[in-house]
Amino acid sequence: MARERSKGLTPGRAKNLVGVAKVVAPALIPVVAPLAARAAALVSDRYDHYRARRLGVPVDQLTRYSGRGARLHARIAGFTEALDQLNATDRPFVEATETRLAQLLAAVRASERMPAPRRKAAHRAVSTDLDALEAELLKRLGV
């Protein structure tokens, strides 16, 4: 009868694998390391582009918006830029809105250190205020 071989990893097989790895690894590391570094850089770049697209900001401004309130922070910054179009025609509205946006931005920053339920409630409140302000801005822009 033929002798049956065990299918698992035996101490002898493990010893052989370690010996092969000692010989092959020094030859493979110089080839694989640059490929792995390029792959990691590509993945990181793609993730940065994905995050920037979700926030609606350019990739080079991504570092300005971090934390759990990043999306709200980006919305406030975008809204502030949109207000510049009304600056010449509706100055009182722009000044009042800029004051309110500064308060909302402070609320978003303060909420970063709150427990999750309070932070989420604060973010919902800020988002609701932004929705109302954006609707008013669009109305004044005639959209």
Side-chain angles (χ1 to χ4, degrees):
M1 287 197 181
R3 192 171 136 196
E4 281 191 42
R5 295 182 139 190
S6 69
K7 295 183 180 183
L9 185 65
T10 64
R13 284 187 185 171
K15 187 176 181 181
N16 286 341
L17 287 175
V18 169
V20 169
K22 284 181 181 179
V23 172
V24 173
L28 284 181
I29 287 176
V31 174
V32 174
L35 294 174
R38 272 190 255 145
L42 180 65
V43 168
S44 175
D45 185 55
R46 297 279 185 199
Y47 183 65
D48 286 346
H49 278 82
Y50 165 76
R51 286 181 41 220
R53 191 173 51 251
R54 281 189 65 195
L55 292 174
V57 298
V59 176
D60 59 334
Q61 293 181 2
L62 189 60
T63 56
R64 292 182 186 177
Y65 311 107
S66 63
R68 298 192 185 270
R71 192 173 289 173
L72 287 172
H73 192 173
R75 269 183 78 187
I76 292 169
F79 190 92
T80 303
E81 291 174 14
L83 276 178
D84 291 340
Q85 294 179 4
L86 279 181
N87 202 11
T89 59
D90 198 354
R91 188 71 191 146
F93 172 74
V94 170
E95 288 176 357
T97 304
E98 284 177 341
T99 302
R100 184 65 184 141
L101 289 176
Q103 293 169 345
L104 293 176
L105 187 57
V108 170
R109 287 184 180 147
S111 69
E112 290 294 322
R113 292 173 288 288
M114 292 180 183
R118 288 182 62 201
R119 182 185 63 245
K120 289 177 182 179
H123 285 186
R124 275 192 302 274
V126 169
S127 182
T128 302
D129 272 8
L130 277 174
D131 291 342
L133 288 172
E134 287 169 346
E136 182 64 26
L137 175 68
L138 291 175
K139 180 179 156 187
R140 289 177 187 263
L141 288 172
V143 179

